[in-house]
């Protein structure tokens, strides 16, 4: 299985309270396994507040819905041993 690397990293985002915010990270290969999103070191699951998806097989996206002050912090995307933060 090829080593999946991060091709395009996360970008820092400033957003107003109550808005949605989307983070994108592109990886080198489709169908990457061992992928994880975190906010402030807490693993995120796909639910009504966090939308986690994959576009075109290689672009992993995280949308945080209606952010609040408690959502301030570091977002981390990890694939295997590689990480990107914003």
């Amino acid at each position: 299985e090829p080593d999946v690397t991060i091709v395009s990293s996360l970008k820092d985002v400033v957003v107003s309270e109550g808005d949605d915010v989307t983070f994108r990270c592109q990886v080198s290969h489709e169908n990457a396994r061992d992928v994880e999103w975190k906010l402030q070191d807490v693993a995120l699951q796909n639910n009504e507040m966090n939308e986690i998806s994959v576009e075109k097989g290689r672009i992993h996206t995280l949308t945080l819905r209606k952010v609040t002050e408690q959502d301030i912090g570091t977002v981390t995307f990890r694939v295997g041993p590689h990480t990107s933060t914003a």
Side-chain angles (χ1 to χ4, degrees):
E1 203 170 291
D3 184 29
V4 178
T5 59
I6 296 172
V7 176
S8 134
S9 298
L10 297 176
K11 309 255 186 302
D12 290 339
V13 180
V14 176
V15 62
S16 299
E17 192 167 22
D19 287 350
D20 295 350
V21 60
T22 300
F23 296 91
R24 285 183 179 80
C25 202
Q26 184 174 343
V27 298
S28 58
H29 296 80
E30 291 186 11
N31 305 319
R33 292 187 206 144
D34 195 21
V35 171
E36 182 178 51
W37 286 98
K38 287 184 175 180
L39 174 61
Q40 303 166 6
D41 277 337
V42 176
L44 299 176
Q45 303 298 322
N46 203 15
N47 58 35
E48 66 278 352
M49 297 306 292
N50 313 316
E51 182 183 321
I52 297 170
S53 62
V54 181
E55 301 170 5
K56 300 178 186 161
R58 294 181 18 188
I59 301 169
H60 293 257
T61 64
L62 166 66
T63 300
L64 302 176
R65 304 249 178 249
K66 297 182 174 59
V67 296
T68 66
E69 259 185 51
Q70 287 75 40
D71 295 318
I72 292 172
T74 301
V75 170
T76 305
F77 173 81
R78 179 185 62 76
V79 57
H82 309 285
T83 61
S84 178
T85 59

